[in-house]
Amino acid sequence: MDNRSEIREFLTSRRAKISPQQAGLPSYGIRRVPGLRRAEVAQLAGVSVEYYSRLERGDLSGVSDNVLDALARALRLNDEERTHLEHLARAAGPAPRRRHHPAPCTVRPNVQRLLDAMTGAPAFVLNGRCDLLATNALGRALFAPVIDSAHGATPNFGRFTFLDSRSHLFWGDWERAADETVALLHAQAGRDPYDKDLTDLVGELSTRSDDFRTRWARHDVRQHHQGAKPLHHPVVGDLHLTYESLELAADNLRLVAYGAEPGSDSEDKLRLLASWAASDSSDLQPHEAPGRRPADQP
């Protein structure tokens, strides 16, 4: 993945999101493109137009933290976007600083044991490419459609979301799930633009999915921390779950655990799913599951 191109498109996309009025600047002349002009960003950041133009052409090498801070303020970057800018600058630095940390493809036995000990909550581990590397039993049951879609290969949330039509039913809010997946992949591209597997994945999804290609061009970034996510499981129907994400810093991985509000219908359905997963020959079949059915779809 071309670091200079990533820098150029990220800064350009952030500049386009801010109007002169939002920045407290007067608006004059006909604007051929949305957002601020380069000269206005330079003014807000306290740098020359020539210097900012160099940065936006993709050259962040040698940029100080003070300049990055000024750019972040001028472009109104949130914390995740500010971190992404730091990663892009680090990757643009001298060769000794370009540390390639390939996204892991496996988990340590201790991590798998930790997952297996979490019997009451669906949990899984993923890397920066959104590969689903390991789950506990309830996680395997909850994300069975994602795992099945990989046909024995390593499941990947990006491929499932954009290349498997079942994802539109599984994700209760497909648009949001799609946005979040692309933003996670963009964040990983900033951390490690030299990850060939990530480059191949982005190329595959860009070639095969207009939805992915459109979102990738927005250059939005984010990280998993916590939140809520609606799902439609083929066995138990609609689920409204919350999740918490924990960084496994030693492994460059994330552990994500899902849960339901106590006493809720979703909690009951998670218990039902756990019972179904515990018995390989359960009498409960997908067409008998409570909740929304495919026939109920609009």
Side-chain angles (χ1 to χ4, degrees):
M1 216 164 290
D2 183 1
N3 177 254
R4 294 180 69 95
S5 176
E6 282 290 309
I7 294 168
R8 180 176 63 252
E9 294 173 12
F10 177 68
L11 290 178
T12 302
S13 68
R14 298 312 94 175
R15 177 163 62 86
K17 286 190 169 188
I18 306 171
S19 69
Q21 292 79 9
Q22 289 173 320
L25 297 173
S27 180
Y28 57 89
I30 298 175
R31 292 176 181 265
R32 295 190 297 271
V33 294
L36 297 176
R37 296 184 171 102
R38 289 190 185 92
E40 291 167 333
V41 176
Q43 175 186 341
L44 291 169
V47 299
S48 69
V49 177
E50 292 76 13
Y51 184 67
Y52 176 73
S53 296
R54 188 202 100 186
L55 301 181
E56 198 172 279
R57 285 196 297 270
D59 185 3
L60 287 181
S61 59
V63 175
S64 69
D65 289 341
N66 287 338
V67 170
L68 292 179
D69 287 338
L71 277 180
R73 289 193 298 271
L75 296 172
R76 300 193 169 195
L77 303 185
N78 60 32
D79 290 344
E80 291 173 337
E81 291 168 332
R82 173 67 170 83
T83 300
H84 185 61
L85 183 62
E86 290 176 354
H87 290 153
L88 292 174
R90 187 177 301 117
R97 295 173 58 194
R98 295 180 182 177
R99 298 178 180 176
H100 175 50
H101 298 289
C105 297
T106 59
V107 301
R108 290 181 291 113
N110 279 347
V111 174
Q112 184 62 61
R113 283 192 285 270
L114 175 63
L115 285 172
D116 293 338
M118 301 170 66
T119 57
F124 62 88
V125 170
L126 77 165
N127 61 18
R129 289 191 300 268
C130 295
D131 291 330
L132 180 60
L133 301 182
T135 70
N136 61 6
L138 191 49
R140 283 192 296 275
L142 181 62
F143 289 98
V146 182
I147 295 169
D148 291 345
S149 74
H151 303 293
T154 300
N156 179 272
F157 283 106
R159 288 191 179 93
F160 173 71
T161 300
F162 291 100
L163 304 182
D164 192 323
S165 61
R166 291 174 293 178
S167 69
H168 289 266
L169 180 61
F170 180 73
W171 299 123
D173 185 344
W174 185 88
E175 293 287 339
R176 190 179 80 180
D179 289 344
E180 291 177 349
T181 301
V182 175
L184 286 168
L185 292 174
H186 247 309
Q188 176 65 11
R191 285 190 297 270
D192 190 357
Y194 310 106
D195 184 340
K196 183 180 183 303
D197 289 334
L198 176 62
T199 300
D200 291 345
L201 174 65
V202 171
E204 176 189 357
L205 296 179
S206 297
T207 301
R208 300 178 61 186
S209 170
D210 291 338
D211 288 317
F212 178 86
R213 187 164 55 251
T214 299
R215 286 170 170 81
W216 187 257
R218 297 174 189 165
H219 285 263
D220 293 331
V221 295
R222 68 157 295 168
Q223 288 294 338
H224 268 299
H225 295 298
Q226 55 80 34
K229 187 162 289 187
L231 303 174
H232 177 78
H233 194 274
V235 171
V236 297
D238 290 324
L239 292 160
H240 297 275
L241 305 177
T242 58
Y243 68 85
E244 297 287 339
S245 174
L246 305 174
E247 183 179 1
L248 302 177
D251 303 290
N252 199 23
L253 297 171
R254 284 195 170 272
L255 188 154
V256 184
Y258 279 74
E261 288 294 326
S264 67
D265 180 60
S266 292
E267 184 182 49
D268 292 338
K269 289 179 178 178
L270 276 184
R271 291 197 190 99
L272 178 61
L273 185 61
S275 298
W276 176 77
S279 58
D280 294 336
S281 57
S282 172
D283 291 334
L284 180 62
Q285 298 299 320
H287 67 273
E288 298 173 333
R292 186 177 62 184
R293 298 172 183 170
D296 298 330
Q297 297 306 301

